[in-house]
Amino acid sequence: MCGITGWVSFDRDLRSERATLEAMTETMSCRGPDDHGTWAEGPAALGHRRLAIIDLPGGRQPMSVSTPEGTVVLVYSGETYNFTELRRELTDCGHRFLTDSDTEVVLHAYLEWGEALAGRLNGMYAFAVWDGRRDRLVMVRDRMGVKPFYYYPTSDGVLFGSEPKAILAHPLAPSRIRLDGLRDMFTMVKTPGHAIWDGMRELEPGTVVTVDRQGMRRHVYWQLETRAHTGDRGTTIATVRSLLDDIVRRQLVADVPRCTLLSGGLDSSVMTALAARQLAEHSEKVRSFAVDFVGQTDNFIADELRATPDTPYVHDVALASGTEHQDIVLDAKSLADLDIRAETIRARDLPVGIGDLDSSLYLLFRAIREHSTVALSGESADEVFGGYRQFFDEDARRADTFPWMAQAERWGSDSDVLNRALSDALDLKSYVADSYGTAELDVHRVDGESDFEYRMRQICHMHLTRFVRVLLDRKDRLSIAAGLEVRVPFCDHRLVEYVYNTPWSLKSFDGREKSLLREATADLIPRSVYDRTKSPYPSTQDPKYAVAIQEHVKDILARPSHPVFDLLDRERVHQAAHRDTPQVTLASRRGLERTVNLALWLDMYKPELMLT
């Protein structure tokens, strides 16, 4: 996993703009602590920061090939899991390789197939190729959007980067946010292509964008398509297992220490068990890591979201799979620490996220990085196999909005702390309704599909094209800020395509969540995990955390001129900050966390907010 950035300006020679290129590249230092490289020639300048995973000495970037017609240069972030097969195919076509890295394979794949290489890759990736033969920039992002990619069109070219901060380091890109950006910030709709920052775009998953002297063109090389499913239950379960075996085997390839993220839920337990079994074939043991909170297991209180603590199930899996396991135990002080919170905001470039969940995930990643460089995660299995509560909640199923938003309304909204003027200007209800209407139109129906099956297809599609992208972005930004590459086997496009087109009656054949996944891997996991119901990522129950957040908000209230109150209702914030801790509801706590995050973000980024 790495950080990429670049600048194309057809009206100037960028060899004289090294300082600007270096500034853009330096913002990606957290994404690539192992190496740094830049390249500039004529109208193009590329920068790269490297986290070395495969062929540690041979994968340096930017990587280039000289041809009689001009130089072709690549900056690449991510992993291509089928690079060995592609390498053999390219060798048969006459290509010769100097390294063992997947980066060189991608570069030669472009030389052989041009933009069509995107459809041949299996992996998580975001990369840009400057083709000096045609004075053309080609930008490519993986099918599911696992790796981030942003770009900013200019009058004579484009700026791009793995993260917005790389683009914002350029003087042509102002740190400005308009109302539409704030609308995306305060909702969970993940509008395709929106980057929140004014003038900036997110390269959509499964898309190639080409920039040359004639302008900018966009080509979708992959999207989630509706197809008829023909297999019976047994065939479907066997196919899921076969795909998982192949996916995990491919994603275990690395020249650095590997591990798994283990929560004791079905998804991470399956990943851990598969990894353990496959590594055992080579006399290796897998390391596993889990997050926990001081005293939480012994003092756990069940609630509507979480019926059981994670730790007992984590230990069951670690014992059954024979992993070298470690619990990362966090306390309320570290979760509420403002420096840690600031690091998570800087990692994401925005004050989004869910309070202690972001802090704990970042601290988990940081602790893991002391032992491993690559981790396998169970992320996205809920979206692929139908694991969330809203898949089964009749009100959420029937709601005329995104199902996850209908489910979340039960616990209130942290946007309730917005001041009245901004709330009226944003009109979030209409924005969400418009976005939902667009999302509905993206889903096609199979001939003969019942109304119920079609509705469940819509819900699955929205989770796989909207909701999952929020979580993948969170995972990428927080992990790479700690120097850790997290791989997501459940995002392999072959598995996503296959399970998406499996009827809901098969996905939930026993009336439970993720029925197909559970049966496909029943021989791998302890009975306790098999029987366990879905439990979300853990959140601290320590009241000292809420007290600490309230104190942080009181400090902000003591600064009456703070720009955060251009956005928030001071009186509502005051009431939440001075409420007795037992009366701090989940929605109130999220509102307090939102206040702290916004204040920190405004202090760090000093954005120009266009509120009218």
Side-chain angles (χ1 to χ4, degrees), residues 7 12-20 40-42:
W7 177 16
R12 67 177 87 185
D13 186 337
L14 295 185
R15 286 176 293 184
S16 62
E17 300 287 350
R18 285 282 185 180
T20 300
E41 185 176 295

Side-chain angles (χ1 to χ4, degrees), residues 562-573:
H562 196 288
V564 74
F565 297 114
D566 293 335
L567 304 174
L568 305 183
D569 185 300
R570 185 191 304 272
E571 183 57 33
R572 291 182 184 176
V573 171

Side-chain angles (χ1 to χ4, degrees), residues 402-447:
F402 295 104
W404 56 88
M405 298 188 75
Q407 185 74 20
E409 286 175 1
R410 293 184 175 186
W411 296 283
S413 170
D414 62 3
S415 63
D416 289 344
V417 297
L418 298 178
N419 67 47
R420 179 60 59 83
L422 178 60
S423 183
D424 290 346
L426 292 175
D427 190 8
L428 295 179
K429 185 176 181 179
S430 295
Y431 183 71
V432 171
D434 290 344
S435 185
Y436 174 72
T438 301
E440 275 191 311
L441 296 175
D442 290 338
V443 188
H444 301 290
R445 191 170 192 160
V446 168
D447 289 343

Side-chain angles (χ1 to χ4, degrees), residues 511-527:
R512 298 184 62 189
E513 77 280 0
K514 294 180 284 194
S515 306
L516 285 177
L517 178 61
R518 184 177 293 101
E519 289 307 312
T521 58
D523 62 309
L524 295 171
I525 55 177
R527 187 71 198 191

Side-chain angles (χ1 to χ4, degrees), residues 287-573:
R287 297 199 67 155
S288 59
F289 295 88
V291 69
D292 197 5
F293 308 104
V294 174
Q296 182 130 319
T297 301
D298 293 336
N299 302 295
F300 182 81
I301 300 173
D303 58 30
E304 191 173 353
L305 286 174
R306 299 169 181 86
T308 53
D310 287 348
T311 301
Y313 301 92
V314 166
H315 292 173
D316 285 351
V317 175
L319 180 63
S321 294
T323 74
E324 294 182 10
H325 181 74
Q326 183 175 344
D327 292 324
I328 306 301
V329 183
L330 307 174
D331 59 25
K333 182 179 179 181
S334 61
L335 292 173
D337 184 273
L338 288 182
D339 290 336
I340 297 299
R341 193 168 294 264
E343 288 179 33
T344 67
I345 293 168
R346 189 176 295 109
R348 303 189 69 179
D349 288 313
L350 291 167
V352 295
I354 306 176
D356 69 302
L357 275 66
D358 277 14
S359 296
S360 67
L361 190 61
Y362 172 67
L363 289 168
L364 171 65
F365 290 152
R366 202 166 70 171
I368 291 173
R369 185 61 177 87
E370 296 177 8
H371 308 279
S372 298
T373 310
V374 170
L376 266 63
S377 166
E379 187 89 84
S380 307
D382 287 308
E383 290 81 5
V384 174
F385 288 95
Y388 292 119
R389 186 170 302 190
Q390 58 261 25
F391 282 95
F392 297 86
D393 185 291
E394 286 301 325
D395 291 335
R397 283 171 168 175
R398 292 193 298 264
D400 195 24
T401 189
F402 295 104
W404 56 88
M405 298 188 75
Q407 185 74 20
E409 286 175 1
R410 293 184 175 186
W411 296 283
S413 170
D414 62 3
S415 63
D416 289 344
V417 297
L418 298 178
N419 67 47
R420 179 60 59 83
L422 178 60
S423 183
D424 290 346
L426 292 175
D427 190 8
L428 295 179
K429 185 176 181 179
S430 295
Y431 183 71
V432 171
D434 290 344
S435 185
Y436 174 72
T438 301
E440 275 191 311
L441 296 175
D442 290 338
V443 188
H444 301 290
R445 191 170 192 160
V446 168
D447 289 343
E449 195 168 44
S450 70
D451 289 345
F452 174 73
E453 283 285 354
Y454 178 54
R455 178 54 182 162
M456 296 311 297
R457 180 182 292 279
Q458 288 180 314
I459 290 173
C460 292
H461 192 279
M462 290 176 194
H463 278 82
L464 289 167
T465 59
R466 299 286 188 119
F467 189 70
V468 76
R469 295 179 187 177
V470 176
L471 300 183
L472 288 173
D473 185 75
R474 169 179 177 258
K475 178 272 309 170
D476 177 88
R477 302 292 199 91
L478 295 179
S479 62
I480 201 61
L484 180 72
E485 174 175 286
V486 176
R487 298 177 178 179
V488 278
F490 289 111
C491 277
D492 185 293
H493 70 280
R494 298 168 299 162
L495 181 69
V496 172
E497 290 173 341
Y498 184 78
V499 179
Y500 170 66
N501 283 298
T502 301
W504 183 252
S505 58
L506 265 180
K507 285 192 182 81
S508 59
F509 65 82
D510 59 1
R512 298 184 62 189
E513 77 280 0
K514 294 180 284 194
S515 306
L516 285 177
L517 178 61
R518 184 177 293 101
E519 289 307 312
T521 58
D523 62 309
L524 295 171
I525 55 177
R527 187 71 198 191
S528 60
V529 174
Y530 181 94
D531 291 336
R532 190 186 187 194
T533 58
K534 164 69 182 173
S535 183
Y537 181 85
S539 178
T540 180
Q541 296 182 339
D542 191 335
K544 291 194 291 291
Y545 172 76
V547 171
I549 295 299
Q550 285 181 305
E551 291 304 312
H552 293 327
V553 174
K554 289 174 184 177
D555 290 342
I556 297 168
L557 286 163
R559 301 162 61 189
S561 61
H562 196 288
V564 74
F565 297 114
D566 293 335
L567 304 174
L568 305 183
D569 185 300
R570 185 191 304 272
E571 183 57 33
R572 291 182 184 176
V573 171

Side-chain angles (χ1 to χ4, degrees), residues 39 41 63-73 111 129-135:
W39 177 93
E41 185 176 295
M63 187 175 285
S64 62
V65 171
S66 296
T67 76
E69 297 81 24
T71 303
V72 180
V73 191
L111 293 171
V129 179
W130 171 252
D131 191 338
R133 302 169 302 179
R134 301 174 178 84
D135 274 4

